[in-house]
Amino acid sequence: MKTVEPLIIIVVFSILSVEIVGLEYLKTCDFRAVYNFGDSNSDTGGSSAAFWIAGLPPGETFFHRPVGRASDGRLIIDFIAEHLELPYLSPYLDSIGTSFRHGANFAIGGSTIRPQNESMSLNGVSPFSLDVQIVQFDNFKVRTRYFYGRGNPGHRRNLPRPKDFSKALYIFDIGQNDIAAGLRKKNDSDFHASVPDIVDQLAKAVQNLYEHGARTFWIHNTGPIGCLPVSLHRHHIRPEELDKQGCLKAQNAYCMEFNRKLKDRVIKLRTELPHAALTYVDIYTAKYELIGNAKRQGFVDAANICCGFHEDEIQVYCGHKQSINGTEIYAGSCENPLDYISWDGVHYSEAANSWIARRIINGSFSDPPLPIKHACHKP
């Protein structure tokens, strides 16, 4: 044993040294643009442009006005843009004051990977599923090339340079609503049977973009739905249903199953798309770590909701009014959103988004473990 132990130490040190030295010599990626596909976790105003006028209190902390984000301020995608020294992404559907010079955001709140036979009015399910978002991107790219080649310099100023599409970062942050649909329908066997197809639908979207020149992909898994305060406020919960962090074990099991299959599919895509750099980002673990360390990180209890009224089985969502026993209740925001992880019971506060973004940007929760500015490099 005495002769083996030093050898192990040397080998481990050598591996760590190679990783550190390798990162030092990797060239920083020159991302000229970001294209994002997703749901409300990364929607920067698409839902507002499509369905309703954005209102306060969302947006109050950072933007000080309604901007169509499901938070009091910036989302993870905003912090990614800041880190890459790019402007915040304009929603694809926003027609006023919009510049797409450095990318576009196709995310819409309520969107799913696989089209659902439901409606926005019935269950909040967006008609802009991932396949629709990809068609929108394809159309966007074709029309951009056409008008860029024929437009005057003034028009070109707000259009992406055609050569930048291949140098862009393509982000996927979608899947949570597919899992929510499975939970809502309460049919475990159907959900388990659907997961491979859901994951394949996302893989097809990646393949489509790859065939049209995209090369760098940053793919988020889904967060722990069982930890969302709105889930915890809706249930008559028995102690045995909760894990050590006070989250619903059964709901999180759905998320973990989806995430396992998604990671396997991303690994397979690396062999199918030889010129692509694909990063799998473990958003689940990052969020779960924050929830488990809420008070040590300076937050109130992770189950607390900043904006909304959720008491005695009465649910009035953030920014809405409702008459309860003749009394009108306005579901406004808390005094200090910076103290909260949950903004509205479903979405995260700017402070929480900042905490999570800092940890995924540096590669701590990524496979391969490269910072986002090095994501164009294959492992």
Side-chain angles (χ1 to χ4, degrees):
M1 290 298 291
K2 289 181 180 179
T3 59
V4 175
E5 193 171 354
L7 179 61
I8 294 173
I9 294 171
I10 292 170
V11 170
V12 171
F13 177 78
S14 299
I15 291 171
L16 293 174
S17 299
V18 169
E19 289 179 350
I20 294 168
V21 172
L23 185 57
E24 287 177 351
Y25 286 91
L26 279 179
K27 185 179 179 181
T28 300
C29 304
D30 184 22
F31 293 128
R32 305 288 183 86
V34 173
Y35 293 97
N36 183 72
F37 306 88
D39 52 34
S40 57
N41 290 310
S42 60
D43 180 355
T44 55
S47 292
S48 174
F51 301 115
W52 53 73
I53 298 173
L56 289 171
E60 65 180 11
T61 296
F62 181 78
F63 299 100
H64 308 298
R65 65 184 182 89
V67 289
R69 288 163 171 78
S71 181
D72 60 305
R74 289 164 288 183
L75 309 179
I76 291 171
I77 188 67
D78 294 313
F79 289 108
I80 288 174
E82 286 183 4
H83 183 73
L84 298 177
E85 299 177 23
L86 295 173
Y88 299 135
L89 294 186
S90 295
Y92 169 70
L93 295 179
D94 199 349
S95 58
I96 305 297
T98 301
S99 173
F100 297 117
R101 184 67 163 184
H102 298 286
N105 193 357
F106 297 86
I108 299 284
S111 293
T112 54
I113 295 172
R114 194 165 73 159
Q116 303 289 315
N117 187 24
E118 297 178 284
S119 70
M120 176 66 78
S121 59
L122 179 64
N123 286 315
V125 176
S126 164
F128 297 98
S129 51
L130 182 57
D131 58 330
V132 175
Q133 294 182 28
I134 295 298
V135 168
Q136 290 175 331
F137 172 81
D138 290 342
N139 190 44
F140 173 83
K141 186 176 179 183
V142 169
R143 290 170 64 82
T144 292
R145 289 183 180 276
Y146 176 83
F147 287 109
Y148 193 90
R150 288 161 180 78
N152 60 45
H155 291 147
R156 285 180 176 178
R157 185 173 57 245
N158 291 326
L159 293 175
R161 290 174 289 259
K163 65 181 180 180
D164 289 349
F165 282 103
S166 62
K167 299 177 182 178
L169 175 65
Y170 293 82
I171 298 177
F172 287 82
D173 190 353
I174 192 167
Q176 180 170 312
N177 292 318
D178 295 85
I179 296 168
L183 291 166
R184 187 168 60 248
K185 293 171 184 176
K186 297 180 179 178
N187 190 319
D188 288 352
S189 59
D190 283 354
F191 174 76
H192 297 316
S194 72
V195 172
D197 182 59
I198 295 170
V199 170
D200 279 341
Q201 293 287 340
L202 192 149
K204 287 177 183 176
V206 172
Q207 289 166 328
N208 178 291
L209 295 173
Y210 178 85
E211 289 167 4
H212 290 86
R215 289 295 178 264
T216 305
F217 301 92
W218 182 265
I219 302 171
H220 294 184
N221 69 11
T222 195
I225 290 179
C227 298
L228 296 179
V230 72
S231 298
L232 301 173
H233 282 273
R234 278 178 176 171
H235 290 75
H236 297 288
I237 299 170
R238 300 185 302 275
E240 60 269 23
E241 295 181 80
L242 300 175
D243 65 14
K244 61 181 180 180
Q245 307 298 2
C247 304
L248 289 162
K249 290 186 285 188
Q251 292 196 5
N252 280 351
Y254 272 46
C255 301
M256 289 187 283
E257 179 183 351
F258 170 82
N259 291 342
R260 281 193 298 270
K261 287 185 168 57
L262 176 61
K263 185 174 184 179
D264 290 343
R265 193 67 185 89
V266 170
I267 292 170
K268 187 178 178 183
L269 279 171
R270 290 180 183 145
T271 62
E272 297 171 349
L273 311 178
H275 302 295
L278 295 111
T279 302
Y280 171 86
V281 185
D282 190 1
I283 289 287
Y284 182 101
T285 300
K287 289 182 174 180
Y288 194 77
E289 183 177 300
L290 173 58
I291 289 163
N293 293 283
K295 294 184 178 177
R296 277 183 297 224
Q297 295 298 327
F299 294 96
V300 299
D301 189 283
N304 290 354
I305 300 171
C306 176
C307 186
F309 183 88
H310 304 273
E311 295 180 12
D312 301 323
E313 299 187 9
I314 297 171
Q315 311 283 345
V316 186
Y317 289 92
C318 180
H320 288 77
K321 296 178 180 179
Q322 186 172 325
S323 180
I324 307 294
N325 297 325
T327 301
E328 185 176 76
I329 294 175
Y330 171 67
S333 64
C334 58
E335 184 174 345
N336 191 2
L338 291 173
D339 293 337
Y340 287 74
I341 289 175
S342 180
W343 164 241
D344 59 7
V346 176
H347 306 97
Y348 288 66
S349 68
E350 174 177 288
N353 286 327
S354 175
W355 191 97
I356 296 160
R358 289 197 304 272
R359 282 151 182 81
I360 65 169
I361 282 169
N362 68 14
S364 296
F365 293 91
S366 298
D367 175 28
L370 293 175
I372 196 167
K373 285 188 176 181
H374 295 86
C376 62
H377 298 286
K378 295 179 63 178

